Amino acid sequence: QVQLVESGGGLVQAGGSLTLSCAASGIIFSRFHMGWYRQAPEKQRELVAAISAAGYTNYVDSVKGRFTISRDNAKNTVYLQMTSLKPEDTAVYYCNSNGWGSTYWGKGTLVTVSS
């Protein structure tokens, strides 16, 4: 059974930092592309950052220079380091794995940035 479990969300003031973690099980983690998505109230889910199985990364323009995605294949974990947080970063953040014709989602972790 595949599980993606996010952690690290919470309440932070604008300008602060948080690091999200997503622990994966039930997949050959190193072979999967991993991503972080977010969904703000009344908005569509959007891709925030992704890291390929080979380690290539990409980011949505709004977080470039502020967020960093990384993975630790030994720990089956993907991270999202978020700095200089803004109120508009407030959302539920979801972990995603994609590969071998399959896509999996975590249940999400809430990030709230107060102004």
Side-chain angles (χ1 to χ4, degrees):
Q1 182 181 0
V2 178
Q3 281 193 312
L4 301 177
V5 180
E6 302 98 334
S7 61
L11 174 64
V12 64
Q13 288 188 333
S17 301
L18 280 176
T19 296
L20 306 183
S21 301
C22 170
S25 60
I27 59 173
I28 303 175
F29 181 79
S30 61
R31 296 184 183 180
F32 275 71
H33 308 306
M34 301 298 297
W36 286 98
Y37 288 70
R38 67 185 178 188
Q39 187 165 18
E42 300 182 359
K43 291 190 175 180
Q44 288 190 334
R45 191 174 296 189
E46 66 169 351
L47 175 64
V48 176
I51 184 165
S52 72
Y56 296 105
T57 60
N58 66 281
Y59 301 89
V60 67
D61 286 347
S62 60
V63 308
K64 284 181 180 177
R66 300 189 298 122
F67 290 11
T68 302
I69 189 170
S70 61
R71 64 191 297 159
D72 185 336
N73 289 341
K75 295 182 178 180
N76 288 0
T77 301
V78 61
Y79 304 96
L80 184 68
Q81 294 176 280
M82 306 185 293
T83 64
S84 301
L85 283 161
K86 305 175 181 180
E88 52 263 43
D89 295 318
T90 295
V92 177
Y93 284 71
Y94 296 91
C95 179
N96 169 273
S97 67
N98 183 31
W100 299 87
S102 299
T103 298
Y104 303 100
W105 292 93
K107 293 182 178 180
T109 185
L110 176 63
V111 172
T112 304
V113 183
S114 63
S115 57

